[in-house]
Amino acid sequence: MFSNEDYLAELLTEAGTIDTDQIQTARSSLSGSETIVEYLINNTALTETQVAETLASNAGIPFIDLAGFHFDPSVILTVSEDVARRYRAIPVSDDGMYLTVAVADPLDFETLDSLPHVIGRELNLSCATHSDINHHLMEFYNVEEKKNESAEDAFEVSTGDAEAGSEAADAPIIRLVYQTLTEAFRLKASDIHIEPLETSVRIRYRLDGKLIHVDTHPKKLLPAIIARLKVMSGSMSIAEKRLPQDGRIQLKMGDKEIDLRVSAVPSNHGESIVMRILDKTALLLGLPELGFFSDDQAQFEKLLSLPDGILLVTGPTGSGKTTTLYACLNVINKPDKKIITVEDPVEYELPGINQVMVKADIGMTFGNALRAMLRQAPNIIMIGEIRDAETANIAINASLTGHLVFSTLHTNDAPSAVARLADIGVKPFLIASAVRSILAQRLVRKLCPICKAPAELTEKELRALHLDSSRLSDASIYESVGCEKCRGNGYRGRMGIFELFNIDDEVRAMINEGLTTSQLRRRARELGMRTLREDGIRKVLSGLTSASEVVHATMGDFD
């Protein structure tokens, strides 16, 4: 009859409507399919109205007596017979913005979360008695109540059942959302942006780092689109529109499994949704696929074989740091190594690796998670990001006690990471002792291999890249053209450009002395460090990307 009979009995006891002796008597006297609440209604002074009022009070919604209510026939038509019967919901009134619906079981949160989605409206809920709901279902929809229908039959509706049960009203929104997701995946987009404007809804995809407009829909579809995506996530509340929410959607498209990280944020024109498509093929990437040339790859692979120390990957948001870390773990993930990660959030599930997600709201911070991880005796630790002195110091102590630690920092270049660690409170001698190498990176778009065409660098590009004609004799320089395969962009996919700063004894002494970033950078250049722009130039001369891409990605590199 109700989704949680025991909890309802507790509510009735707390309200003073029944006592514990009556509950015990009911439990010992139950027979057949009769529930505790049904027994109490049939054998004590407890009434259905008292039950509904208690449920309404607990849920913070009004109780409504449907027996004396005047119904507008046009409002009844807003909910189909199928949906009304499946959800035991009666439409009561419609003010143009919110549809008020009466339900009998506000404890059934899963079903009630689905209801706005299947109706396609924003709802106000009220609570009525089971008898009133059943009477009006029969009156309005000619639905006969099954005498012995169980609570599971009456109220437990999965997302799939809801879709099947409301096909006529709901199918267009389901198709629209599915097409939006499948098209984004087909085009290899990294993000889907669903943005409410004043009179419309804008859909944009991020392709190879660039946002492109793909569609516009009427503003009236926004609530149904948002509700559909929240229901698909399984963890986001449809009723909550004032606070940011995060969720995750997992679905199959053909033989492929798609994983999306969902973020909903209120804006001045409604909720905005951004979905990050988590491409699981990134888990299989090796260092060459990231964009490493063989010489840098050989250096980096030596670092991955170290027994201890910290390897840092730096760069701005969206520069591919996390993908690089996952690729590193993929290289060194062997049965004889215990690897633990602490991430916020866990984006990809890595086979054979213990992954811990930060949950600051329950006290599972980076610092607390790291302390617990060290008691698990790992060989290798990955920290999603070093954000504060606590996390940094624990990571450094771990590296000094025989652990290999991977992490990221937000800095513009590799030498700046030393100053960043000092800024958040790490002592210079600890930085010098623990950090083995720092990798700075950016992402540039790769020229479409189908349509790229031979080209020559302009005088402006030569000046921007500090190139002279002597380096162009053996170069294979191409420019973007555009074709059907790349949607006319001239680019398909992205690759990294890198700056690898290895810490030797002389650099350690300089860090201990507190020398500036520019002095460290000068020494790194003397040791043979290639800057981001120089690595980008190599990829331009190899025909992998364009000069404009490298110039744009390395605006801060003036070496």
Side-chain angles (χ1 to χ4, degrees):
M1 187 179 187
F2 293 99
S3 59
N4 195 329
E5 290 280 333
D6 289 335
Y7 181 59
L8 177 53
E10 285 182 24
L11 292 179
L12 292 168
T13 304
E14 289 174 5
T17 312
I18 58 175
D19 57 42
T20 53
D21 290 338
Q22 290 173 308
I23 294 176
Q24 292 301 325
T25 301
R27 287 188 194 281
S28 61
S29 305
L30 291 179
S31 61
S33 61
E34 190 177 41
T35 67
I36 294 174
V37 175
E38 286 175 333
Y39 177 90
L40 291 170
I41 290 172
N42 294 332
N43 296 280
T44 71
L46 181 68
T47 66
E48 272 198 82
T49 299
Q50 288 174 309
V51 173
E53 287 175 340
T54 301
L55 284 168
S57 176
N58 177 70
I61 60 177
F63 165 77
I64 184 169
D65 182 3
L66 297 182
F69 194 87
H70 174 72
F71 289 86
D72 183 343
S74 65
V75 173
I76 302 303
L77 296 175
T78 60
V79 177
S80 68
E81 174 183 340
D82 225 17
V83 173
R85 173 177 56 80
R86 185 173 293 275
Y87 286 84
R88 292 295 190 267
I90 300 294
V92 173
S93 62
D94 186 358
D95 63 5
M97 181 174 292
Y98 291 96
L99 178 68
T100 299
V101 174
V103 296
D105 187 11
L107 292 179
D108 190 354
F109 303 117
E110 228 177 279
T111 297
L112 296 184
D113 265 355
S114 301
L115 194 54
H117 163 65
V118 297
I119 293 177
R121 290 286 304 275
E122 295 190 73
L123 303 183
N124 280 329
L125 294 179
S126 57
C127 185
T129 66
H130 264 289
S131 295
D132 278 349
I133 293 288
N134 293 335
H135 170 77
H136 286 89
L137 284 172
M138 294 172 66
E139 181 181 345
F140 297 148
Y141 303 107
N142 193 28
V143 177
E144 292 187 9
E145 176 71 3
K146 298 177 183 178
K147 289 183 180 179
N148 296 321
E149 186 169 10
S150 68
E152 189 173 341
D153 293 330
F155 291 102
E156 187 171 299
V157 183
S158 70
T159 303
D161 291 335
E163 290 172 16
S166 58
E167 183 177 354
D170 205 33
I173 291 298
I174 291 176
R175 283 198 300 270
L176 172 61
V177 170
Y178 187 76
Q179 287 167 2
T180 300
L181 301 183
T182 52
E183 180 69 0
F185 184 74
R186 186 184 70 80
L187 294 175
K188 300 188 185 313
S190 60
D191 302 277
I192 304 167
H193 293 247
I194 300 176
E195 302 162 319
L197 306 179
E198 188 173 0
T199 59
S200 62
V201 179
R202 179 173 65 185
I203 309 292
R204 295 195 290 175
Y205 298 157
R206 190 178 295 279
L207 297 174
D208 297 330
K210 305 289 184 182
L211 273 174
I212 63 164
H213 179 270
V214 292
D215 216 339
T216 301
H217 299 298
K219 183 68 176 285
K220 66 182 181 181
L221 295 183
L222 179 65
I225 292 171
I226 299 292
R228 172 64 185 159
L229 290 168
K230 287 183 175 180
V231 166
M232 290 175 71
S233 79
S235 61
M236 301 170 75
S237 170
I238 294 175
E240 180 56 73
K241 302 175 180 66
R242 300 166 300 169
L243 296 173
Q245 293 187 74
D246 295 313
R248 201 159 190 152
I249 293 174
Q250 293 177 305
L251 65 156
K252 291 196 73 171
M253 293 181 182
D255 59 346
K256 295 187 180 293
E257 290 187 1
I258 312 300
D259 204 355
L260 301 103
R261 195 174 73 203
V262 186
S263 169
V265 175
S267 72
N268 56 334
H269 294 303
E271 282 186 283
S272 172
I273 292 268
V274 175
M275 288 171 282
R276 168 69 57 87
I277 299 175
L278 303 176
D279 185 1
K280 294 185 178 180
T281 59
L283 300 181
L284 306 176
L285 292 180
L287 299 181
E289 288 82 7
L290 294 180
F292 280 99
F293 278 158
S294 57
D295 52 354
D296 283 341
Q297 180 181 337
Q299 279 194 68
F300 203 62
E301 284 177 344
K302 283 183 182 178
L303 296 169
L304 297 182
S305 65
L306 291 173
D308 55 31
I310 295 181
L311 304 181
L312 290 174
V313 181
T314 76
T317 300
S319 60
K321 300 188 296 296
T322 301
T323 300
T324 297
L325 287 183
Y326 279 125
C328 292
L329 295 183
N330 190 46
V331 170
I332 61 179
N333 185 14
K334 301 290 189 292
D336 62 335
K337 303 286 186 186
K338 173 147 187 169
I339 303 174
I340 304 182
T341 74
V342 54
E343 304 169 63
D344 183 19
V346 172
E347 293 193 354
Y348 303 96
E349 293 184 6
L350 300 166
I353 291 177
N354 302 278
Q355 294 174 269
V356 178
M357 186 163 72
V358 169
K359 295 181 180 178
D361 56 333
I362 61 170
M364 181 66 115
T365 62
F366 269 106
N368 290 337
L370 274 171
R371 289 189 189 90
M373 284 165 55
L374 291 174
R375 293 193 286 272
Q376 297 277 311
N379 302 106
I380 297 158
I381 296 170
M382 188 194 91
I383 305 166
E385 182 185 348
I386 292 178
R387 301 179 178 180
D388 52 42
E390 180 189 27
T391 306
N393 281 308
I394 296 172
I396 284 174
N397 287 332
S399 73
L400 295 175
T401 54
H403 303 85
L404 184 60
V405 179
F406 296 91
S407 192
T408 69
L409 273 179
H410 285 279
T411 65
N412 289 328
D413 61 13
S416 296
V418 174
R420 173 65 182 144
L421 288 172
D423 286 344
I424 63 177
V426 181
K427 291 180 170 53
F429 78 89
L430 290 175
I431 300 172
S433 301
V435 179
R436 298 287 184 266
S437 186
I438 304 165
L439 179 75
Q441 69 177 66
R442 298 289 188 278
L443 292 177
V444 294
R445 292 183 293 172
K446 293 191 289 187
L447 289 165
C448 174
I450 305 298
C451 64
K452 68 179 183 180
E456 293 184 0
L457 295 178
T458 65
E459 286 296 323
K460 183 178 179 181
E461 288 171 335
L462 288 169
R463 286 196 304 272
L465 297 175
H466 301 293
L467 280 175
D468 57 58
S469 56
S470 64
R471 294 191 61 185
L472 303 181
S473 57
D474 297 324
S476 302
I477 298 169
Y478 291 84
E479 64 182 358
S480 61
V481 177
C483 65
E484 184 179 340
K485 288 288 186 182
C486 61
R487 289 177 57 92
N489 293 321
Y491 298 92
R492 288 178 66 192
R494 290 189 289 176
M495 67 189 304
I497 56 175
F498 305 100
E499 177 177 283
L500 186 59
F501 179 24
N502 292 322
I503 311 295
D504 67 0
D505 289 340
E506 186 175 341
V507 173
R508 288 191 184 92
M510 295 172 71
I511 294 172
N512 271 324
E513 293 169 16
L515 297 185
T516 65
T517 298
S518 60
Q519 290 171 309
L520 290 174
R521 187 171 183 79
R522 194 176 302 118
R523 175 56 185 156
R525 301 285 282 115
E526 291 169 359
L527 291 171
M529 183 187 80
R530 233 183 324 267
T531 67
L532 288 164
R533 179 161 291 186
E534 286 173 338
D535 192 46
I537 290 170
R538 292 204 299 168
K539 284 154 187 173
V540 171
L541 299 181
S542 299
L544 299 174
T545 189
S546 66
S548 60
E549 277 293 296
V550 171
V551 171
H552 176 75
T554 60
M555 292 296 289
D557 187 349
F558 298 109
D559 282 358

